[in-house]
Amino acid sequence: MTRDLTWLRGFLHLDALQQQERISDTAIRLQEDTVLAALSILDREPGVLLADEVGMGKTYQALGLLACAFEIARGEDRKPHVLVVTPGPDLNHQWLRSAQTFQQKGFYGGFPKDTFHEVGHITELPDATARHRVVFAPINVFTSARGHAERGFLLDLWFTHLELAGPTRAAIRRRIEASGVQVCDGHHFLGRTAVDFGRLPTAAFKGERGGHAGLDDLYNSDGVDAFTNAWRVKKALDRVRFQLVRKVLPKFDLLIVDEAHKLKNPWTVQAQAVAQVLGGRFKGATFLTATPFQLGVEELRRVFDLFGCASEVRPGFPDDVNALFHSIADYQRTYEAFEEAWRFADSRQASAFAEWYACAAVAPLTADPRQAVPGLECIDDPNVATLARYVWELRRLKDHGVEHGFRRWAIRSLKPGKRERRHDRPLPIAPEEGAVVPLLMYQRLMTARARSGVRSHVEAAETSIASSFAAARKGAMVQEQGASDEAVAYQSVLQKLLVAADDVHPKVISVLETAMSAADKWEKSLLFCERNATIDSLHEEIEKRWMDRLHAQWERMYPGSDMEAVFGAGSGDERKVGIFQRWAMRFTRGQDELSVAFRESYPHTLFLRPDESALPLELWGDVSMLVADANDVLRSQRSSGTNATRLDYRMAGRCVDVAVARWFERRRTKVFGQYGGLPLRILDPSYPRLGIGLVEDAEEKDMAGATDLSIEWTLSEDTLRTLLAPSRRSIWFPFREQMTMWDATERVAIVEAVRTFFTRRQVPFVVDVLERAGRSEATSASFRDALEAWWTDPTCPWRRHLGEFLEYLPQLGKEERAEVLRYALPLGEFAARGNQGERRQKIQDAFNTPFFPMILVGNRTMQEGLNLQRQCRRVVHHDLRWNPADMEQRVGRVDRHGSLAERWLTETGGADGHILIDTPLLERTIDPSRYRRVKEREKWLDFLLGVPPEIGRGNLDESEVPPLPSALTEDLRVRLGPLVDGRSDIGRSPV
């Protein structure tokens, strides 16, 4: 069968979440074309590089390829094996969640039960690959078994291989242990004995040419004395380990490697592991990376080297790879010469060049470097003629070398209008008076240490002082001793200066003001730093400023109240309860009407028709009967001491719910068939005790308490009217249609998570309502009246945010939703730190809601694997990275399919759909020079991977360079989009 679009759409539905994520038809078609093009490449090559820009759905493209592998195997009546290698444990679990969502949301329904499995340790890998068709493994899994007993086992295998005598074995062990490498007796590895592994090939003990030495190589070079070098011994043992793992793994139909650029260094353990463990064990490879090379294009060669490890590699593959890199090198040299010449061209020469190119561009171009430059004889100016020669050579190298070579193995699509969509602003910052002295003293300390001959990591020191005074204070430049008396004196003075100046660092102040100003407009900000001390400093200062703002808001309601009076202080027996805490407790205390303020009023949300906004008038004519019914239900319940002797609004509300349900059962039986049968649950005898979830949770335990007493209070008509009044429809009434998609358990979880969030200390919801009520000592009734009046206004910001939150939840898988509701949303933190690995997923889930956090501060651990685009479009590079790929990865957290920017672009017609990227550059520091260097490197990263050239890009000076003719920039663009249906570059289509 022909593998075309019709074939693909017969089983793969990449548009399954198109409406919810608001992804364009063009973007979906691009993903489909990419999958088909990747399949075509894998038919003739050992690997394909999926290199779409960050945020364009490479994970789902890879999962689409995975689905194709299963579909093809089904047609051939066989079962496929696939291994997905991920960058680390967090992303490993995220891949598993994505695959489960891919299956659950209807992208592909052909995965058998228990297809997916994740492993965290190498000992799990053999059994997992035997039992499951798709296994997700973090890259460090290949180095996770390096214990003392394992080393002993590997050594014994080698001893047996060489048939070494006992004394020689003992001598080698002594030297290894003397080097600091611990070894003890081991009898198993991967759950197998030496007999199970059998005789190993010689390759297990010999290093490869140009690689690390094997155990045989060490022994043959210096005998037993070679084993005194701990580093060489560990590398040799790694090789044996990799060969053993390789021996027990099956052959994989498809190997998928995420963030493949992490394997750029062939000397790392991870790169060695992939090459040696998986070499010859996979038929085809799919590598995912938006940044195939970072500091230099030669890094890309490692990707092709790993492709060459496939079980089947066509003849001529290495030659084609070498030819590509030769073309790239020639292209770079020629372009740099052209760029240098163009910078000196004046407007007259630029105009003459443009006229020549308009005519020459239509001339046929061949691969022959001897082809004459058309129209060259008509150019009078020798400088223009030089430019023409360069350009003709560039086009030849691009068309017949670079582009042709890349397209053999790579597919890369660009987001249309990337430059127009991104507002990238370098922001020079001049140090003010309070910061000048610490900056100067720090420079003098660096000079003094250099004069004293003490080795220092100058770049790290310069990064620290440019980042924050806190980072500089904790850095080695200030903390390390052993320099000259002059340097020690500077250190002593600086330590005091940096502490005193900690809150006046110009860049910290600038970033704080930018982020807080955005938060005032309810816009989220993503801040990237290089120093943990800066993250802590920023986070602390943001929280301080936010709490000051909250205190000012509370003080308007309670004049004269200081911070302690509002928010309390202390803990345990010495804890002082503040005004906020007293209000927050009222929402959980059953004797206060506010305990049901954020609860869902089921009579209004489950029993009314869509066209009704209030309970029917005839129901109010039966109030006495409703009260009697509610009290009849109440008398059958048991509760704790306080709740048994005093009115408990939570229990009263549930008894009224039952009475109303019985009334509707007699008058409108059809309502019990709507909303998935949820109204029937209210008639369940256990509903008053357990709620609509019909299971005991924290609230039910609180209502029941430790004792079991009869309820002494009764429910009055006034209480019933309070609970059922039109002004008590609850905050959930406008969203009753959105709530219909949830079962009882998730419905309860949503309500509880939102209630918890609204009553968190850093969330201003309660004080916002108090301001609406117009008085601080508002009664429960007046508070609810103010809330209802505000909630009926469609412009109410909290109502809008809650609606957006309910739109977001269906896009998550069940496990992800549970994480959001149970952990992420209830955090209620205005600002969060992303350098805490164990909270990565919770922070992502919370940041993607329209609620808090508003500001996320993190380091490089936040650059990859997190999708933060749902509610954020602002990125601040507080600190720069030398690597432009890292900078792109940062922005890629928010520039993705379904992003806030894309939604605003659609809603505003392009008026406000921009990604905002701020790069503060502190003058008199490393910032400006690093910015220029990064932009220079970024030029080649972009240029060779599809972005049209732009001379003068990234300049901080005011010099102007004539723009290149637009036709030339398009002709020089390397097009790597999928070649499907005769379209050479689908990426040109607008979103």
Side-chain angles (χ1 to χ4, degrees):
M1 179 179 290
T2 304
R3 294 178 193 167
D4 56 13
L5 203 57
T6 302
W7 169 80
L8 189 73
R9 289 176 176 174
F11 61 88
L12 183 63
H13 309 288
L14 289 172
D15 59 349
L17 290 179
Q18 181 178 3
Q19 290 187 339
Q20 294 96 315
E21 295 280 5
R22 303 182 188 179
I23 302 173
S24 69
D25 291 338
T26 303
I28 296 297
R29 178 62 192 273
L30 180 59
Q31 288 195 330
E32 293 172 331
D33 286 346
T34 300
V35 171
L36 288 172
L39 278 177
S40 177
I41 290 174
L42 287 173
D43 281 341
R44 63 180 185 273
E45 299 289 347
V48 60
L49 181 65
L50 296 183
D52 282 5
E53 284 191 301
V54 175
M56 294 189 68
K58 288 185 292 296
T59 299
Y60 279 79
Q61 292 169 1
L63 290 172
L65 272 176
L66 188 62
C68 291
F70 272 73
E71 202 65 20
I72 293 168
R74 180 177 290 108
E76 298 172 356
D77 195 25
R78 59 181 179 83
K79 297 179 179 179
H81 279 91
V82 179
L83 179 64
V84 182
V85 178
T86 65
D90 288 341
L91 291 178
N92 201 58
H93 187 62
Q94 188 165 314
W95 263 91
L96 176 64
R97 287 172 61 172
S98 296
Q100 291 168 340
T101 300
F102 198 82
Q103 184 176 26
Q104 294 166 5
K105 296 295 184 180
F107 287 84
Y108 177 65
F111 294 125
K113 185 180 179 182
D114 295 328
T115 293
F116 306 116
H117 187 75
E118 64 173 331
V119 299
H121 195 273
I122 198 167
T123 54
E124 304 168 18
L125 191 59
D127 287 342
T129 53
R131 296 180 181 181
H132 303 276
R133 293 298 163 190
V134 180
V135 175
F136 301 94
I139 186 67
N140 60 349
V141 79
F142 299 108
T143 59
S144 59
R146 307 173 82 178
H148 305 169
E150 182 234 323
R151 290 173 183 151
F153 180 84
L154 299 178
L155 274 175
D156 285 340
L157 284 180
W158 177 61
F159 291 155
T160 303
H161 168 74
L162 280 191
E163 300 179 354
L164 293 178
T168 305
R169 298 184 182 196
I172 290 174
R173 279 179 175 267
R174 284 196 303 271
R175 283 162 174 77
I176 290 176
E177 291 177 355
S179 74
V181 179
Q182 297 298 311
V183 179
C184 65
D185 290 337
H187 306 288
H188 298 86
F189 179 59
L190 304 179
R192 293 161 172 79
T193 66
V195 175
D196 296 328
F197 283 111
R199 187 168 183 82
L200 292 181
T202 304
F205 308 110
K206 285 188 176 294
E208 295 178 351
R209 185 177 180 181
H212 300 301
L215 292 172
D216 278 358
D217 303 315
L218 294 180
Y219 187 67
N220 292 334
S221 63
D222 295 308
V224 296
D225 291 334
F227 294 88
T228 58
N229 187 316
W231 184 81
R232 297 184 73 190
V233 169
K234 288 179 180 178
K235 293 300 180 185
L237 289 173
D238 281 343
R239 182 164 185 82
V240 184
R241 178 188 302 107
F242 298 153
Q243 291 296 320
L244 293 184
V245 177
R246 181 179 183 277
K247 192 175 180 68
V248 299
L249 290 180
K251 284 196 174 182
F252 298 102
D253 296 74
L254 183 62
L255 168 66
I256 297 175
V257 179
D258 190 21
E259 305 296 355
H261 57 270
K262 291 184 178 294
L263 302 177
K264 64 183 179 181
N265 186 347
W267 296 100
T268 62
V269 176
Q270 288 89 347
Q272 293 275 322
V274 171
Q276 295 181 33
V277 174
L278 300 175
R281 308 301 291 179
F282 62 91
K283 182 180 179 182
T286 299
F287 284 10
L288 279 61
T289 174
T291 52
F293 59 90
Q294 302 177 4
L295 300 181
V297 73
E298 275 296 317
E299 295 171 353
L300 183 59
R301 186 182 289 274
R302 183 58 184 165
V303 171
F304 297 119
D305 289 344
L306 293 173
F307 284 170
C309 295
S311 58
E312 300 175 9
V313 181
R314 64 174 174 79
F317 172 78
D319 295 336
D320 289 340
V321 171
N322 288 331
L324 169 61
F325 282 93
H326 284 309
S327 295
I328 291 174
D330 290 344
Y331 189 72
Q332 287 181 302
R333 282 192 297 269
T334 306
Y335 182 82
E336 286 169 353
F338 168 72
E339 185 178 46
E340 182 68 19
W342 183 262
R343 288 179 182 276
F344 290 99
D346 56 30
S347 58
R348 181 187 59 79
Q349 291 169 328
S351 177
F353 174 84
E355 290 179 11
W356 166 80
Y357 190 73
C359 299
V362 298
L365 181 67
T366 70
D368 187 353
R370 296 168 299 179
Q371 180 186 9
V373 179
L376 191 63
E377 66 281 357
C378 300
I379 300 176
D380 298 328
D381 190 319
N383 292 331
V384 176
T386 298
L387 291 171
R389 292 188 186 94
Y390 283 143
V391 161
W392 201 250
E393 177 65 5
L394 280 174
R395 283 197 54 195
R396 183 189 67 79
L397 288 168
K398 176 258 183 179
D399 286 359
H400 299 285
V402 177
E403 186 174 275
H404 174 73
F406 268 132
R407 292 189 74 93
R408 288 180 183 272
W409 305 285
I411 305 172
R412 179 177 174 87
S413 298
L414 307 180
K415 285 188 174 181
K418 173 181 174 180
R419 292 184 185 175
E420 294 75 20
R421 185 176 65 255
R422 293 185 179 184
H423 280 191
D424 195 344
R425 303 186 303 171
L427 305 174
I429 302 171
E432 296 186 0
E433 185 176 345
V436 170
V437 174
L439 289 171
L440 289 175
M441 292 292 287
Y442 195 86
Q443 292 293 334
R444 292 188 178 184
L445 170 59
M446 292 175 62
T447 303
R449 283 176 64 90
R451 277 201 298 262
S452 68
V454 176
R455 295 184 63 183
S456 301
H457 197 317
V458 176
E459 181 191 320
E462 291 180 333
T463 298
S464 294
I465 192 65
S467 182
S468 68
F469 290 143
R473 188 174 69 250
K474 294 181 180 180
M477 183 62 63
V478 175
Q479 295 295 326
E480 285 184 358
Q481 299 300 317
S484 64
D485 292 342
E486 179 190 18
V488 171
Y490 277 125
Q491 284 178 325
S492 177
V493 173
L494 255 177
Q495 286 171 351
K496 298 174 183 177
L497 278 174
L498 292 175
V499 170
D502 202 21
D503 59 349
V504 295
H505 191 279
K507 193 195 293 187
V508 170
I509 293 173
S510 173
V511 170
L512 280 171
E513 290 174 349
T514 297
M516 296 299 289
S517 176
D520 288 340
K521 298 178 286 187
W522 208 270
E523 289 190 23
K524 300 197 176 193
S525 297
L526 185 56
L527 317 182
F528 284 98
C529 306
E530 281 297 289
R531 296 289 182 262
N532 283 330
T534 303
I535 293 175
D536 294 339
S537 182
L538 276 170
H539 183 263
E540 181 182 339
E541 188 61 27
I542 290 168
E543 282 209 334
K544 180 179 178 298
R545 293 194 181 199
W546 179 245
M547 293 307 296
D548 286 344
R549 291 190 185 189
L550 279 182
H551 170 247
Q553 192 176 0
W554 279 97
E555 193 181 16
R556 288 197 293 271
M557 303 306 300
Y558 294 87
S561 300
D562 60 15
M563 186 76 76
E564 186 175 302
V566 173
F567 296 110
S571 60
D573 295 338
E574 299 181 0
R575 181 188 179 201
K576 178 182 178 181
V577 177
I579 296 168
F580 163 77
Q581 283 89 351
R582 288 196 291 274
W583 270 101
M585 288 187 289
R586 292 176 66 179
F587 292 94
T588 58
R589 190 169 58 237
Q591 284 66 47
D592 197 307
E593 183 187 338
L594 291 182
S595 63
V596 294
F598 298 142
R599 311 292 175 183
E600 188 176 0
S601 175
Y602 295 126
H604 292 98
T605 59
L606 292 183
F607 292 103
L608 298 185
R609 292 190 296 263
D611 60 335
E612 290 181 311
S613 59
L615 293 169
L617 291 176
E618 56 265 35
L619 179 141
W620 293 105
D622 294 334
V623 167
S624 298
M625 182 187 69
L626 290 172
V627 172
D629 271 357
N631 279 312
D632 182 55
V633 175
L634 183 63
R635 282 190 292 272
S636 66
Q637 304 304 311
R638 314 285 284 179
S639 191
S640 65
T642 303
N643 294 332
T645 57
R646 296 175 59 192
L647 171 65
D648 182 346
Y649 277 93
R650 296 168 298 181
M651 177 62 76
R654 290 182 180 178
C655 292
V656 170
D657 291 346
V658 176
V660 172
R662 290 176 177 175
W663 187 90
F664 274 94
E665 186 180 30
R666 293 189 292 268
R667 303 295 185 92
R668 295 184 184 178
T669 56
K670 290 184 178 180
V671 301
F672 290 93
Q674 62 188 15
Y675 303 134
L678 281 178
L680 282 172
R681 285 176 165 254
I682 295 177
L683 294 176
D684 190 291
S686 60
Y687 169 78
R689 181 173 62 88
L690 298 177
I692 203 164
L694 302 182
V695 293
E696 188 175 65
D697 58 24
E699 182 176 6
E700 277 66 54
K701 290 178 181 177
D702 175 61
M703 290 169 64
T707 57
D708 189 18
L709 302 174
S710 298
I711 294 177
E712 300 176 7
W713 52 272
T714 57
L715 201 151
S716 68
E717 184 174 318
D718 285 343
T719 303
L720 182 140
R721 289 185 180 277
T722 295
L723 292 168
L724 295 182
S727 61
R728 300 297 185 264
R729 294 179 304 178
S730 85
I731 61 174
W732 301 98
F733 183 75
F735 310 110
R736 51 184 174 160
E737 287 301 316
Q738 289 171 269
M739 295 291 282
T740 58
M741 67 179 65
W742 309 115
D743 62 25
T745 302
E746 288 197 294
R747 195 171 184 128
V748 170
I750 291 169
V751 172
E752 180 60 21
V754 171
R755 181 201 66 79
T756 303
F757 173 77
F758 280 168
T759 54
R760 285 299 188 198
R761 186 176 73 137
Q762 293 189 11
V763 179
F765 181 85
V766 174
V767 71
D768 281 351
V769 178
L770 283 176
E771 287 186 326
R772 287 277 167 171
R775 47 183 174 162
S776 58
E777 298 303 328
T779 63
S780 299
S782 62
F783 182 96
R784 295 192 70 187
D785 287 340
L787 174 57
E788 177 67 20
W790 194 22
W791 211 255
T792 56
D793 182 355
T795 64
C796 170
W798 291 107
R799 171 176 165 169
R800 185 176 69 252
H801 301 326
L802 181 54
E804 292 172 354
F805 177 66
L806 294 176
E807 288 180 4
Y808 166 63
L809 284 179
Q811 299 169 28
L812 304 176
K814 191 166 186 177
E815 182 184 343
E816 291 172 295
R817 266 198 313 276
E819 290 284 325
V820 168
L821 299 174
R822 191 180 302 120
Y823 302 113
L825 185 62
L827 289 174
E829 299 174 337
F830 177 76
R833 285 175 290 188
N835 60 336
Q836 299 167 313
E838 69 278 5
R839 298 180 66 200
R840 254 174 67 103
Q841 193 60 50
K842 296 181 181 66
I843 289 171
Q844 170 183 290
D845 294 339
F847 198 67
N848 274 328
T849 73
F851 298 125
F852 287 2
M854 297 301 297
I855 301 171
L856 180 52
V857 193
N859 56 11
R860 69 187 67 179
T861 62
M862 241 172 38
Q863 288 176 190
E864 296 172 344
L866 290 179
N867 301 331
L868 303 169
Q869 77 277 15
R870 181 72 195 177
Q871 292 291 336
C872 180
R873 64 180 186 127
R874 181 184 304 275
V875 174
V876 179
H877 298 300
H878 184 280
D879 297 328
L880 286 162
R881 298 275 292 156
W882 282 112
N883 191 334
D886 288 338
M887 307 291 284
E888 176 63 21
Q889 289 284 355
R890 289 175 173 184
V891 179
R893 298 312 97 212
V894 302
D895 192 2
R896 312 179 74 81
H897 282 323
S899 67
L900 177 67
E902 282 188 358
R903 299 200 305 274
W904 281 15
L905 181 68
T906 302
E907 293 167 6
T908 64
D912 202 16
H914 300 107
I915 302 293
L916 307 177
I917 307 165
D918 288 347
T919 308
L921 304 173
L922 182 58
E923 296 175 1
R924 304 185 188 180
T925 70
I926 196 174
D927 280 353
S929 62
R930 180 177 285 184
Y931 180 79
R932 283 189 287 267
R933 181 61 175 152
V934 167
K935 287 300 178 182
E936 176 65 22
R937 288 173 170 170
E938 182 184 70
K939 175 184 74 177
W940 285 112
L941 175 66
D942 284 349
F943 191 9
L944 288 174
L945 295 175
V947 176
E950 183 181 0
I951 292 178
R953 176 178 168 187
N955 281 355
L956 290 176
D957 55 38
E958 300 298 324
S959 60
E960 291 188 5
V961 180
L964 294 176
S966 58
L968 175 60
T969 60
E970 276 301 303
D971 287 342
L972 291 181
R973 185 159 78 88
V974 180
R975 302 180 188 278
L976 302 178
L979 186 64
V980 176
D981 293 345
R983 287 170 296 151
S984 61
D985 192 57
I986 194 171
R988 301 179 73 179
S989 305
V991 171

